[in-house]
Amino acid sequence: MREGGRLVREGARGRRAVLANDGARLWGEPGALSVEGAAVVEARRVAGTDDDPRAAELRRAVARLRRDLAAHPAELPDRAIADDELAALDAMARTGAPELHRLRRSLLLIAGALGSVSALGSALTGVRAAIDQFNNVPQTGRGRD
């Protein structure tokens, strides 16, 4: 549908994606929504906001897995779970200081949702490697003696 000269698509959970006339995402506009995989994500990318290179790497790995999952033709019964957890990982990476146990929990849920789909294996390995970079983050609420 067109709205104000722009192409607008209805997305998951009633959100809308604002697209350029050719269907490309409009990343430059704050608050514009974009379609990444099956999830609709609000674009708030500002140059220089990714201070932590680990968070930037995690966001890149999550974006790759989202693209690969969106392009995968097979119907996966738990695809929605994987999409939700990928969105959660991206949100945690945006905050800058994600908790390791939450990152790993999301990784386990994604791996379980995708099962043994070999076409997504390398992208999932990339997400795991990006999460492993957060190993030196202090874990809160867990005492080690």
Side-chain angles (χ1 to χ4, degrees), residues 5 31 65 87 114 134:
L65 182 54
L114 299 181
F134 287 91

Side-chain angles (χ1 to χ4, degrees), residues 1 5-6 26 31 35 42 58 66 69-71 73 76 87 89-90 94 98-99 101 104 107 112 115 121 124 134:
M1 113 176 104
R6 295 194 177 145
L26 295 175
V35 177
E42 185 173 354
L58 178 58
R66 277 181 156 173
L69 181 59
L76 301 174
L89 279 176
D90 188 55
R94 286 176 191 266
E99 296 177 25
H101 72 276
R104 288 189 172 159
L107 178 62
L124 184 59
F134 287 91

Side-chain angles (χ1 to χ4, degrees), residues 21-88:
N21 291 336
D22 63 352
R25 288 177 273 206
L26 295 175
W27 284 107
E29 295 184 21
L33 299 178
S34 66
V35 177
E36 289 186 17
V40 177
V41 181
E42 185 173 354
R44 289 188 181 174
R45 295 188 184 183
V46 179
T49 57
D50 288 335
D51 295 337
D52 188 354
R54 298 172 305 174
E57 179 60 32
L58 178 58
R59 291 186 63 213
R60 279 190 293 273
V62 165
R64 178 182 173 212
L65 182 54
R66 277 181 156 173
R67 283 190 307 272
D68 289 358
L69 181 59
H72 190 65
E75 191 63 36
L76 301 174
D78 293 329
R79 185 184 292 248
I81 293 170
D83 285 331
D84 289 345
E85 289 304 318
L86 286 168

Side-chain angles (χ1 to χ4, degrees), residues 6-22:
R6 295 194 177 145
L7 182 63
V8 177
R9 288 193 188 150
E10 290 296 324
R13 299 183 187 103
R15 291 187 166 173
R16 298 181 310 165
V18 180
L19 305 171
N21 291 336
D22 63 352

